Amino acid sequence: MRSVTSPDDNGSDELFADARAMHSAALARLDAGDIRDAAEKAWCATLRATDGLIVARIGEVPKKSSNTTRELRRLRGSDIRIRALSKHYFEAQGALHGECFYLGLCEPVDDTALLINETIAYIDEAERLAAA
């Protein structure tokens, strides 16, 4: 993990803005009928929001997604609110990133679309917990 340079600007705002932009891109791809690309963009939005939460809590940005997962597991052990949030993270990791994007297993499409749409609630909650 890399250290954040300024204590006043830990970078979480930028990460949450990026997460929201990625979610908007996911919705655009969903509207265009590209469920696979929409799923990957929603996963990226989830990952960026999680990075925002992590940097707000520990002051370091994870360099790799495996570090994000490791830190999220560590944080959820000490905060029940993060434990509840992490359920979406792991569902998105498996269903959106692994199954739909990589394997092309996006059926039922309605379930995948629902998870893509629910990503904004994840971003909102991660941002709220980052500020707590």
Side-chain angles (χ1 to χ4, degrees):
M1 294 188 191
R2 71 173 170 81
S3 294
V4 176
T5 55
S6 169
D8 295 332
D9 178 23
N10 64 19
S12 64
D13 289 344
E14 183 179 322
L15 291 164
F16 286 115
D18 189 38
R20 290 181 188 288
M22 288 302 300
H23 184 252
S24 292
L27 295 177
R29 296 310 304 147
L30 187 60
D31 287 345
D34 188 347
I35 190 79
R36 212 166 167 178
D37 193 33
E40 184 64 0
K41 285 178 174 30
W43 162 245
C44 289
T46 301
L47 188 63
R48 297 303 280 171
T50 308
D51 286 344
L53 172 60
I54 290 167
V55 76
R57 290 288 180 103
I58 69 169
E60 294 179 348
V61 179
K63 287 184 179 178
K64 299 185 295 185
S65 60
S66 59
N67 293 352
T68 299
T69 300
R70 187 177 311 111
E71 281 303 317
L72 181 62
R73 283 189 174 122
R74 190 183 66 72
L75 288 173
R76 75 181 185 170
S78 61
D79 189 330
I80 194 155
R81 299 169 302 172
I82 293 175
R83 178 171 289 282
L85 184 75
S86 71
K87 290 176 184 176
H88 176 96
Y89 176 89
F90 290 109
E91 183 178 10
Q93 184 181 49
L96 298 179
H97 182 59
E99 293 172 10
C100 187
F101 180 71
Y102 276 111
L103 301 177
L105 305 173
C106 304
E107 300 289 334
V109 171
D110 288 346
D111 289 351
T112 302
L114 180 62
L115 190 54
I116 291 166
N117 282 299
E118 289 174 342
T119 300
I120 194 64
Y122 180 90
I123 296 166
D124 290 343
E125 182 64 5
E127 193 167 28
R128 189 181 72 72
L129 290 173

